[in-house]
């Protein structure tokens, strides 16, 4: 079954030429909020300079709220309506921008990340004749590219929009298993570009091969120096500041129903680098990791091409955990690569740059908001939630907590196999409906805290 729903309007924020689509879905979201009786402001967040040097205006951020009662607690809901790119040629079974139901699953880009949860929040608000808490919403369209301008907006509106906020909630991740969960931490991230410049032109390998030092060979040596076959990061000092594992934290992993065999099947791998459930989860959530993502400038098309590229750029990222600091990580990575490059005695030129630099986030599980969240999960699902961390990076959680000083919680409704950022992204009909009930129950449980 196919649905014609504004949920899946294309809004790929990774291409600035498509930011008009992002603004269109923001406008549609604003209209929906206004139809429900809310007020909406489109907050200007300035401009962004592209790598070309061109400066372009950023899509606005929605700041919305419903009628306020000073006797009630105030909840601010964060969400985003931009998505990762997607096309049928990537391997999708269905049109990624035409919501399609197959056997109880709703397939489409943004279904679980993050348009589905945003719509579920609105449905939860709509379900009440009188909402038990005051509701504010902050909805953006550039989360997938780093939330340009949102940190500055948060600082600017800290004494106005956020002044009366008691709690901030985010539903922009998924469960770790088949059981509902509350998320209390995410990893940070830094993204690196390693550029090696050589000859002034691409060279014929039959003419110059063996007589010049090739940029690709240098780059492979540099990338190969970053980690070993066990996944251990080899950059000196990068992991020195990782927060030690406490006994209380270790116990949190005992009750997580993570099935190693099922997750191997979901990932399509024969084995993980670790042997036990606890080790795998710690590797994904509370330990740093380094991933190599690609090489720009190298020949990657089908067929053969015997060319020596004049310039190549390797791309990798480091997922960071408490107490790692992005500027310190960046400095150590650059020093390491410069040192390795010097041993190659290469006439080529090396340039290392970094972007993103998002800090990790960890919340206090004793915070009253987590008490309300646990009660809401028990009310809707009849079980205690698993208390989990998230291996990916959601910078806004740390930014909100650090800048506003407010209580921040992540309340996911997506399934562990939803495939966010991947082909055939989905959310199940069950998770969407029960997730909407969870949001509504959470409003009520929060109201009991005031």
């Amino acid at each position: 079954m196919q649905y014609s729903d504004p949920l899946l309007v294309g809004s790929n924020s990774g291409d600035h030429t498509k930011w008009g689509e992002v603004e269109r879905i923001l406008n549609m979201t604003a209209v929906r909020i206004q139809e429900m009786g809310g007020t909406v402001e489109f907050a200007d967040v300035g401009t962004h300079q592209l790598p070309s040097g061109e400066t372009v205006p950023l899509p606005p951020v929605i700041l919305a709220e419903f009628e306020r009662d000073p006797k009630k607690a105030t909840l601010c809901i964060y969400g985003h309506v931009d998505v990762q790119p997607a096309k049928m040629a990537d391997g999708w079974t269905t049109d990624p921008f035409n919501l399609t139901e197959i056997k109880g699953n709703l397939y489409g880009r943004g279904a679980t990340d993050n348009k589905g949860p945003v719509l579920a929040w609105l449905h939860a608000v709509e379900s009440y004749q009188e909402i038990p808490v005051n509701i504010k919403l902050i909805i953006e369209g550039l989360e997938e590219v780093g939330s340009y301008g949102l940190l500055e907006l948060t600082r600017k509106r800290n004494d106005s929009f956020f002044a009366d906020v008691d709690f901030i909630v985010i539903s922009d991740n998924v469960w770790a298993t088949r059981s509902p969960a509350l998320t209390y931490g995410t990893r940070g991230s830094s993204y690196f570009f390693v550029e090696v410049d050589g000859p002034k032109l691409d060279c014929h390998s039959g003419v110059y091969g063996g007589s010049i030092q090739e940029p690709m060979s240098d780059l492979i040596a540099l990338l190969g120096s970053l980690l070993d076959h066990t996944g251990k990061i080899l950059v000196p000092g990068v992991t020195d500041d990782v927060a030690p594992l406490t006994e209380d934290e270790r116990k949190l992993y005992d009750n997580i129903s993570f099935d190693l065999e099922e997750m191997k099947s979901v990932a399509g791998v024969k084995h993980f680098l670790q042997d036990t459930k606890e080790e795998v989860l710690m590797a994904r959530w509370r330990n740093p990791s380094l991933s190599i993502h690609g090489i720009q400038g190298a020949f990657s098309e089908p067929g053969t091409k015997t060319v020596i590229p004049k310039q190549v750029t390797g791309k990798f990222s480091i997922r960071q955990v408490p107490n790692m600091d992005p500027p310190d990580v960046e400095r150590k990575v650059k020093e390491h690569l410069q040192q390795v490059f010097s041993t190659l005695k290469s006439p080529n030129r090396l340039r290392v740059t970094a972007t993103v630099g998002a800090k990790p986030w960890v919340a206090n599980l004793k915070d009253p908001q987590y008490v309300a969240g646990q009660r809401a999960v028990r009310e809707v699902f009849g079980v205690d939630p698993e208390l989990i961390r998230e291996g990916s990076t959601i910078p806004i959680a740390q930014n909100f907590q650090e800048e506003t000083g407010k209580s921040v919680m992540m309340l996911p409704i997506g399934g562990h196999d939803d495939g966010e950022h991947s082909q055939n992204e989905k959310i199940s009909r069950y998770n969407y409906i029960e997730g909407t009930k969870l949001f509504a129950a959470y409003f009520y449980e929060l109201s009991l805290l005031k």
Side-chain angles (χ1 to χ4, degrees):
M1 181 183 295
Q2 293 187 337
Y3 298 86
S4 177
D5 195 298
L7 169 68
L8 294 192
V9 169
S11 50
N12 166 24
S13 58
D15 181 352
H16 77 277
T17 66
K18 296 181 179 179
W19 284 357
E21 294 180 0
V22 172
E23 293 200 34
R24 185 158 67 100
I25 188 66
L26 285 168
N27 285 327
M28 295 170 72
T29 305
V31 168
R32 181 65 177 270
I33 294 169
Q34 290 167 333
E35 289 174 346
M36 293 167 56
T39 60
V40 174
E41 175 193 352
F42 284 104
D44 179 45
V45 288
T47 60
H48 176 67
Q49 187 175 47
L50 303 174
S52 64
E54 179 187 0
T55 298
V56 295
L58 294 168
V61 171
I62 289 176
L63 299 179
E65 59 184 305
F66 292 86
E67 186 175 356
R68 185 179 181 278
D69 181 342
K71 297 178 182 178
K72 297 177 180 178
T74 298
L75 171 68
C76 180
I77 299 166
Y78 164 85
H80 70 90
V81 293
D82 61 315
V83 298
Q84 288 281 313
K87 54 183 183 294
M88 288 293 293
D90 294 334
W92 282 73
T93 303
T94 62
D95 180 353
F97 294 108
N98 193 346
L99 187 63
T100 304
E101 182 175 4
I102 301 175
K103 296 181 178 179
N105 290 320
L106 303 168
Y107 290 90
R109 180 59 90 219
T112 199
D113 181 18
N114 182 235
K115 293 177 181 177
V118 167
L119 196 56
W121 280 120
L122 296 182
H123 284 157
V125 170
E126 205 169 25
S127 70
Y128 276 96
Q129 290 184 331
E130 181 181 345
I131 307 173
V133 292
N134 299 317
I135 297 292
K136 289 189 171 185
L137 300 111
I138 180 165
I139 300 175
E140 65 159 325
L142 293 177
E143 190 274 344
E144 299 291 1
V145 292
S147 299
Y148 300 140
L150 189 54
L151 176 58
E152 292 74 13
L153 178 65
T154 303
R155 290 169 175 164
K156 184 178 178 181
R157 297 300 183 93
N158 202 9
D159 295 328
S160 53
F161 182 81
F162 291 99
D164 60 349
V165 169
D166 298 294
F167 309 103
I168 300 174
V169 68
I170 302 167
S171 185
D172 190 21
N173 63 313
V174 298
W175 301 348
T177 69
R178 295 182 182 274
S179 298
L182 299 181
T183 304
Y184 67 95
T186 63
R187 293 196 290 187
S189 180
S190 289
Y191 201 100
F192 294 87
F193 299 85
V194 187
E195 180 184 297
V196 181
D197 239 337
K200 65 178 182 179
L201 298 171
D202 290 348
C203 296
H204 191 307
S205 65
V207 176
Y208 291 99
S211 65
I212 63 173
Q213 189 143 342
E214 301 182 13
M216 181 69 81
S217 299
D218 288 348
L219 180 60
I220 296 302
L222 291 166
L223 296 179
S225 75
L226 295 172
L227 75 167
D228 67 15
H229 69 284
T230 69
K232 178 183 177 182
I233 299 175
L234 301 178
V235 179
V238 158
T239 61
D240 288 353
D241 295 328
V242 174
L245 178 70
T246 65
E247 183 61 20
D248 286 343
E249 183 190 344
R250 188 198 64 75
K251 290 178 180 178
L252 293 174
Y253 293 89
D254 293 341
N255 297 324
I256 298 174
S257 56
F258 185 83
D259 187 318
L260 284 179
E261 294 307 314
E262 180 183 8
M263 291 312 297
K264 288 176 190 176
S265 176
V266 170
V269 299
K270 293 182 178 180
H271 61 84
F272 291 114
L273 294 174
Q274 299 78 27
D275 296 322
T276 67
K277 172 189 77 173
E278 292 78 9
E279 290 172 333
V280 170
L281 290 176
M282 288 183 195
R284 290 172 55 169
W285 295 349
R286 66 100 54 218
N287 294 331
S289 64
L290 188 153
S291 299
I292 297 171
H293 303 297
I295 296 177
Q296 181 179 327
F299 175 64
S300 60
E301 302 298 323
T304 62
K305 184 180 181 182
T306 56
V307 68
I308 299 170
K310 64 184 180 67
Q311 181 191 80
V312 287
T313 303
K315 303 177 183 182
F316 68 94
S317 67
I318 297 179
R319 298 285 178 173
Q320 298 168 40
V321 298
N323 300 314
M324 297 170 72
D325 181 51
D328 183 59
V329 170
E330 180 180 340
R331 177 181 60 81
K332 289 173 178 176
V333 167
K334 288 181 176 180
E335 288 177 354
H336 168 73
L337 290 172
Q338 291 287 356
Q339 190 277 327
V340 172
F341 189 69
S342 69
T343 66
L344 302 178
K345 302 188 183 306
S346 174
N348 298 321
R349 297 166 297 283
L350 171 67
R351 188 166 73 106
V352 183
T353 56
T355 61
V356 184
K359 292 181 180 179
W361 165 74
V362 176
N364 178 7
L365 285 172
K366 296 179 180 180
D367 186 291
Q369 185 173 193
Y370 278 86
V371 175
Q374 291 179 64
R375 288 174 178 168
V377 169
R378 284 194 290 268
E379 177 66 27
V380 174
F381 293 98
V383 298
D384 286 326
E386 295 181 339
L387 301 175
I388 67 173
R389 287 163 76 161
E390 173 69 48
S392 61
T393 302
I394 305 175
I396 198 60
Q398 173 64 20
N399 290 345
F400 280 150
Q401 186 167 288
E402 195 171 78
E403 297 299 330
T404 71
K406 310 295 184 179
S407 165
V408 178
M409 185 179 77
M410 296 187 68
L411 183 60
I413 62 171
H416 72 290
D417 59 350
D418 277 356
E420 67 274 35
H421 287 208
S422 188
Q423 297 91 341
N424 300 319
E425 178 185 344
K426 69 168 182 66
I427 191 167
S428 71
R429 173 186 284 268
Y430 172 82
N431 276 61
Y432 184 80
I433 294 174
E434 298 305 304
T436 303
K437 294 178 185 177
L438 173 63
F439 290 163
Y442 165 68
F443 295 159
Y444 173 73
E445 295 296 342
L446 269 187
S447 72
L448 302 180
L449 300 177
K450 186 73 170 178

